[in-house]
Amino acid sequence: MQPAVLMSAISALAFALAPAALSKENGKEKKLKTDIPSYNILDLDSDDLSLDNYGGIIDLSNYEDIYDYGDLASKIEVDTLAPLSKHFPQSLSTTVPVEAPQSKPPSSTAARAKGPGLFGSISNQGLPTCLVCVCIRTSVYCDDTDLEDVPPLPLETVYFYARFNRINRILASDFTGLAKLKRIDLTNNFVSWVDEDSFRLLPSLQELILPENKLTSLPELPSGIIQLDARFNMIQSSGIRPEAFQDLKKLQFLYLADNKLDYIPVPLPEGLRSLHLQNNNIQTMHEDAFCNSRDHNYIRWALEDIRLDGNPINLSLFPDAYFCLPHLPTGRFY
């Protein structure tokens, strides 16, 4: 066959087959576009992944089932935190539950020496002291609570107020162990008896407030007392032991007005600043009641406030009793 004739035959055959091949390629491309809508985002130049084997490696029909966030969301707990790193202290963790301490009810048989419970020891009212009274830090307020006895006080008590109650007796055991107690205020009760050692052994007591009670005598006082207020009682001169105030070097305020005293209780401590004895039954005075009659150079500068008004004594009859005082006593001079 001539070469020219052969080339013509090949060309004719190529043109005859071209439409069929083009139709077959178009059908394959259309099928790929329908089955694989996102193949264009893949790297088709990769030798490991081609359009021919893509469907066998990754099945896109279950792609959304693998990442079903609807199911996963129900398993996420909002309050759950990731475990803390070992570099963080355990005290920062909020995932470890902390059980609140359980307070035990106060025992009525607990000894005071072991310390009170959360609300103090049980009082005679059947309740802990700090439920009957009001406890604020080191102060205990039991005003107007119908108390008939001093309740068990916390060992840390510094200030104790039990005014306007029905307390009629002070026992030596009422304040035992209260080494920090500085002030006792029992204004307006029915106290008629005080055990001798009720106050004497309190090392920190500075103020003893006992007005408007039914006392007929005074107990022995601690050496550190600064103020004694026992106005409006029934204290008689015989109810104050001799030289009761002489050794009380820190005593500055002595209020015994509105009692039944017959004379000024002497000797008085050197540091005394205020002495109130008005409305008693004092009729006479010793010349050394305030001054030293043998030393006319002595001046008692501290004692500036003396109240003797309301007594039957005529102060003008005792002129030598005041020469050492910066101010004359208040009272009747005629």
Side-chain angles (χ1 to χ4, degrees):
M1 181 179 295
Q2 296 296 325
V5 176
L6 180 60
M7 290 299 296
S8 297
I10 293 174
S11 299
L13 180 61
F15 279 110
L17 294 176
L22 182 60
S23 176
K24 182 178 181 180
E25 289 296 329
N26 288 340
K28 182 186 291 187
E29 182 179 355
K30 183 176 182 179
K31 184 177 185 302
L32 286 175
K33 287 183 180 182
T34 301
D35 294 341
I36 310 174
S38 57
Y39 79 94
N40 56 334
I41 63 173
L42 300 175
D43 185 7
L44 300 181
D45 295 329
S46 172
D47 294 335
D48 298 329
L49 184 64
S50 64
L51 289 177
D52 294 332
N53 61 9
Y54 182 80
I57 297 175
I58 299 178
D59 185 4
L60 294 181
S61 63
N62 61 0
Y63 183 80
E64 294 181 356
D65 293 337
I66 296 176
Y67 295 95
D68 186 359
Y69 289 99
D71 294 338
L72 183 60
S74 61
K75 300 178 182 181
I76 298 176
E77 298 181 5
V78 176
D79 294 334
T80 302
L81 299 180
L84 290 176
S85 168
K86 64 180 180 179
H87 300 293
F88 287 86
Q90 289 295 326
S91 59
L92 296 179
S93 176
T94 59
T95 60
V96 180
V98 179
E99 184 177 355
Q102 300 294 325
S103 59
K104 297 180 179 180
S107 172
S108 59
T109 59
R112 185 192 295 267
K114 296 181 180 179
L118 180 62
F119 296 106
S121 301
I122 300 298
S123 66
N124 289 343
Q125 286 69 34
L127 293 172
T129 296
C130 291
L131 290 183
V132 176
C133 307
V134 176
C135 299
I136 303 177
R137 300 187 65 182
T138 58
S139 297
V140 179
Y141 299 90
C142 300
D143 295 341
D144 198 12
T145 52
D146 292 327
L147 292 177
E148 296 182 359
D149 302 280
V150 175
L153 299 175
L155 292 178
E156 298 298 315
T157 302
V158 177
Y159 305 100
F160 172 56
Y161 301 87
R163 299 166 289 195
F164 312 104
N165 284 291
R166 303 173 183 272
I167 300 172
N168 56 37
R169 182 170 182 172
I170 307 298
L171 304 177
S173 59
D174 287 340
F175 302 107
T176 299
L178 299 178
K180 299 180 180 181
L181 189 59
K182 291 183 178 181
R183 181 183 178 99
I184 299 174
D185 192 339
L186 295 170
T187 299
N188 203 327
N189 276 272
F190 296 91
V191 178
S192 60
W193 178 263
V194 179
D195 284 354
E196 190 61 31
D197 290 335
S198 296
F199 308 119
R200 183 178 63 88
L201 302 178
L202 296 176
S204 301
L205 188 63
Q206 298 178 356
E207 299 176 80
L208 181 58
I209 315 299
L210 300 170
E212 301 182 70
N213 280 281
K214 299 182 181 299
L215 292 170
T216 58
S217 62
L218 285 179
E220 189 172 353
L221 301 171
S223 59
I225 194 74
I226 294 176
Q227 175 179 339
L228 172 64
D229 186 349
R231 296 169 295 127
F232 296 99
N233 278 276
M234 298 181 291
I235 301 172
Q236 302 176 6
S237 293
S238 59
I240 302 177
R241 64 184 180 83
E243 302 180 351
F245 306 111
Q246 182 177 17
D247 296 331
L248 304 180
K249 305 300 183 182
K250 297 182 179 181
L251 183 63
Q252 298 182 30
F253 307 95
L254 179 57
Y255 302 138
L256 296 173
D258 295 277
N259 278 282
K260 297 183 177 182
L261 299 178
D262 298 320
Y263 53 82
I264 298 172
V266 292
L268 297 170
E270 189 67 27
L272 192 66
R273 297 172 55 189
S274 181
L275 175 66
H276 287 188
L277 298 172
Q278 65 268 34
N279 302 322
N280 276 281
N281 192 37
I282 299 173
Q283 302 181 35
T284 187
M285 181 189 305
H286 193 276
E287 62 179 2
D288 289 336
F290 306 115
C291 305
N292 185 351
S293 60
R294 295 180 298 274
D295 184 4
H296 286 267
N297 294 321
Y298 168 72
I299 299 178
R300 190 167 192 154
W301 293 109
L303 189 53
E304 296 185 342
D305 177 26
I306 301 175
R307 293 281 304 275
L308 288 168
D309 48 306
N311 284 278
I313 186 173
N314 184 349
L315 297 179
S316 62
L317 299 177
F318 310 93
D320 293 336
Y322 322 124
F323 71 87
C324 69
L325 299 177
H327 301 287
L328 289 175
T330 301
R332 184 169 65 90
F333 282 90
Y334 54 87

